[in-house]
Amino acid sequence: LKKKEELKKKEELKKKEELKKKEELKKKEELKKKAELKKKEELKKKEPENVTNKKPEKQFRWVKLFVIGLVFALLTYKCVDRNYEWRGGWSLWSSGYRVNPISSHIWHNFGLELQYRGYDKAAAAILENTLRRNPEDMNTWFTMGISLRRSGRCDKTVIYLKQAIAYIDKLVAGGEPTNLRRNRNRDKGQILAVLALCETNVMHMKTMLDEALSLDPDNLFIREQWNAVNRMFRQ
């Protein structure tokens, strides 16, 4: 019986010790939790800006990506659209005329494209505006003269092309370099050839074409007109 009582006492002591240990562990855990909570609160107090700015930074990244994607999509669309415009002369210069109506280079090429398609009145109007911006461009004078003649306006052709010839003679008389003088002679030759086509007197026409050919013997347009007039004389 004594032994049994002693064993019971020992077991009770063990249980009490275990309970004490469990309580101590619980207290330690609670203390740890409290310490962690205090640390978190201190960190929040010390660095409130860094903590609050984390979400906006992430949102700003998404906004950046969205903007970049949008710009890329717009540029891709513009590139595809521009490639479509470059498929031919008409689409290229008509779109250029809409986008940049100030450029005399675009006006000239758009006028040429209109002339190739047979819209001579519209071409002459465009080229006339081009000459107001750039009166030194003899190719525009020549192209406009052809469009005016083809649209049955030889009276205007003669007025404009005589102005062009007077302008060339003035530049040559002013003492231009030799290479520029050659270019002026070529310009004068093709303009004289267009003027000759508006001449009603065949002899005057032949004289003008002879002079045009002497100024620019390699010009195919002048050569064709000169051959046509010579065939008339032979007949």
Side-chain angles (χ1 to χ4, degrees), residues 187-198:
D187 293 335
K188 187 176 178 180
Q190 63 183 8
I191 287 169
L192 272 171
V194 178
L195 269 174
L197 296 175
C198 285

Side-chain angles (χ1 to χ4, degrees), residues 40 54 63 66 74 76 78 80 84 90 94 170 191 193:
K40 285 179 180 178
K54 280 182 181 178
V63 170
F66 175 74
L74 288 171
T76 304
K78 193 68 180 173
V80 171
Y84 179 75
W90 174 257
S94 58
K170 185 180 175 181
I191 287 169

